[in-house]
Amino acid sequence: MKRREVIKNIGLLSVSGGVAGTLVPAASFAGTRPSHRDLFKELGVTPVINASVTMTFLSGSLMLPEVMEAINSTAHDFANMYELQDKVGAKIAEMLHCEAAMVTSGAACAMVLGTAAAITGKDPEKIKLIPNLPGARPEVIMQKTHRYLFDQAITTTGARIIEVEGPEEMDKAFNSNTVMTLYFNAAQQSSVTREAFVALSKKHNVPSFMDAAADVPPVENLFKYQKMGFDLVTFSGGKMIRGPQSAGLLFGRKDLIEAAKLNHSPHEAPIGRPMKVNKEEMFGMYAALKAYLERDHEKEWQDWLTRIQKIKKIVESVPGVTGQTHIEPGPANAFPSLDLTWDEQQVKISPRDVQTSLRNGTPSIVANAGKGPDGKPRLRVGVVLLKPEQVSIVAQRVREILKNALS
Ligand SMILES: *Cc1c(COP(=O)(O)O)cnc(C)c1O
């Protein structure tokens, strides 16, 4: 269920008098949908069990109860958005041990705003003109092996990406048009270490930007890169931090965050105006981060392992099926999931066909099929995004599909 719909529902309930007293506490919305109105049904939208990872096309993650509470409890009053962004940002900066912070509409927006800030500073003329500044295009230095889909957020500002390989080439790439350097934290290969990357950026007095969007857990990563010297860091709000899906964090150097804010809504004209963050999402992002930092991360990790054992035990009751805990090395999606393999002579179905069958069944379950490190096809069942009651549903469905394929 979408935020807006929750809010609308509450609005309807409160005006209908007596019903208001029966309002379900906000916290309970996160796990279960209220029974009085099923908007999934009303619109014919299929609810999906996510036995995979956070993916935007699958609506990211489920907001924490604390986030729903923040959204619901702040929806009833107006606020000055400049003040709200400043106050939420100050609190987030305090929590993350950095100079300044802001809430963006996702990490991709943070990349646009960070680059824009590096280009314009606080110059109102430049803020007005970007991405159509006169003169040579601003340049952002990246490692060749770090090029990825999301770097379009950089060129959206009119900047050009300069690809480099190795520290020497990077050192030579700086010139008077260079406005920023970008590090993709989860890149498979790097020819410049994070430390050298920061040092070279500092040497040339150019701000360095760290994209660590999907890189919690571990929670320590939220502190690591600013400490390392990166001037700007982004994390998605709607991945494992479980804030609003359309929110993100941008934090780091104060002058850059100030400039990024000038390039953002609620100012009417700048490049970031179409990337608005609403009041409830700002409160929600703050609540999500606070809850995430306060959580018992070790216990959560143990819970994930327990889920894996539970599913493994049920599925391994099918002859020939073996389950193994897989821990993604990270930095992105660095959490455990269950890898299932089987003897296809005995269980006559491929992991890909199991995946399809799971997706097309009721309830629809999204899992991953692919090849393991040994090249063997496997089904990967994610556990970190499952609601508690979905653990056995997923296990039983996988078992059933595999059992039906027994020769
Ligand atoms: C998810 C992701 C983004 C985009 O983040 P949003 O919060 O969805 O805008 C950017 N970079 C990387 C590496 C990501 O994983």
Side-chain angles (χ1 to χ4, degrees), residues 31 38 61 84 109 122 131 159 193 217 227 258 275 287 290 292 301 367 370 379 382 394 400 403 405:
D38 187 340
S61 56
L84 178 58
C109 167
K122 294 179 192 172
T193 63
K227 219 178 277 171
E258 289 304 318
M275 304 161 203
K290 189 162 190 295
Y292 187 73
W301 190 273
L379 182 76
V394 170
E400 188 184 299
K403 214 173 137 208

Side-chain angles (χ1 to χ4, degrees), residues 56 106-108 111 148 150 184 211 213-214 236 239:
T56 294
M111 292 167 74
Y148 62 152
F150 286 109
F184 168 32
D211 175 8
S236 290
K239 290 179 182 164

Side-chain angles (χ1 to χ4, degrees), residues 339-352:
D339 274 4
L340 293 168
T341 50
W342 54 87
D343 177 3
E344 281 188 46
Q345 300 296 325
Q346 205 174 349
V347 184
K348 293 189 173 343
I349 189 167
S350 68
R352 207 157 286 286

Side-chain angles (χ1 to χ4, degrees), residues 167 170 183 191-202:
M170 179 169 172
Y183 200 101
S191 54
V192 187
T193 63
R194 292 172 184 83
E195 290 79 4
F197 194 87
V198 167
L200 281 167
S201 305
K202 285 200 191 308

Side-chain angles (χ1 to χ4, degrees), residues 54 56 104-111 148 150-151 184-186 211-215 234-239 244-249 332-333:
T54 59
T56 294
T104 63
S105 62
C109 167
M111 292 167 74
Y148 62 152
F150 286 109
D151 65 36
F184 168 32
N185 200 38
D211 175 8
D215 302 351
T234 188
F235 281 87
S236 290
K239 290 179 182 164
Q245 168 59 193
S246 43
L249 297 169
N333 302 318

